[in-house]
Amino acid sequence: MPDLAVVPKELAKGGGALAPDQTLLIVEVTSDSNGDTDRIVKRRRYAEYGAPLYLLIDRQERSCTLYAAPGELGYTKIESPLPFGTPVPLPEPFDLELDTSEF
């Protein structure tokens, strides 16, 4: 269960569980107890199941990492690590920069 999942509007209406490949973006925020799970295990699983974008907000490292283009061996495109305060570029369908100055 991710901390946040952005899904297409037409899929959000159903209210049921969705597979990672049905999302637009998955976000995980680390804590002291789950940091390694979010950094390693979930990153691999989300790529394996086709989540197109995975944003890791790492509170311990005070950085954000955007993983994109999932493949058989994991994500093939990584924008990382971006220190808190640095805008995170989110590609299509978002095409915007996420302001992290308040993190």
Side-chain angles (χ1 to χ4, degrees), residues 21 26 30 32 35 42 45 59-61 65 72 75 77 92 103:
D21 65 347
I26 290 179
T30 65
D32 291 333
K42 288 188 177 183
R45 298 283 164 137
R59 296 186 321 163
Q60 290 69 39
E61 298 293 324
T65 303
E72 290 181 22
Y75 285 99
K77 185 174 179 188
E92 291 292 335
F103 291 9

Side-chain angles (χ1 to χ4, degrees), residues 1 3-4 8-10 16 22 28 33-34 36 39 58 60 62 64 70 74 81 84-87 92 103:
M1 188 78 154
D3 292 323
L4 173 73
K9 188 175 184 176
E10 62 274 8
Q22 294 175 295
E28 293 286 358
S33 65
N34 76 354
D36 287 339
R39 289 182 201 101
D58 194 322
Q60 290 69 39
R62 301 194 43 75
C64 296
F84 286 176
T86 304
E92 291 292 335
F103 291 9

Side-chain angles (χ1 to χ4, degrees), residues 12-26:
K13 295 177 185 178
L18 298 174
D21 65 347
Q22 294 175 295
T23 67
L24 301 173
L25 169 70
I26 290 179

Side-chain angles (χ1 to χ4, degrees), residues 50-85:
L53 297 171
Y54 173 46
L55 178 61
L56 176 67
I57 300 173
D58 194 322
R59 296 186 321 163
Q60 290 69 39
E61 298 293 324
R62 301 194 43 75
S63 67
C64 296
T65 303
L66 180 65
Y67 298 92
E72 290 181 22
L73 300 177
Y75 285 99
T76 60
K77 185 174 179 188
I78 301 170
E79 190 79 38
S80 109
L82 301 171
F84 286 176

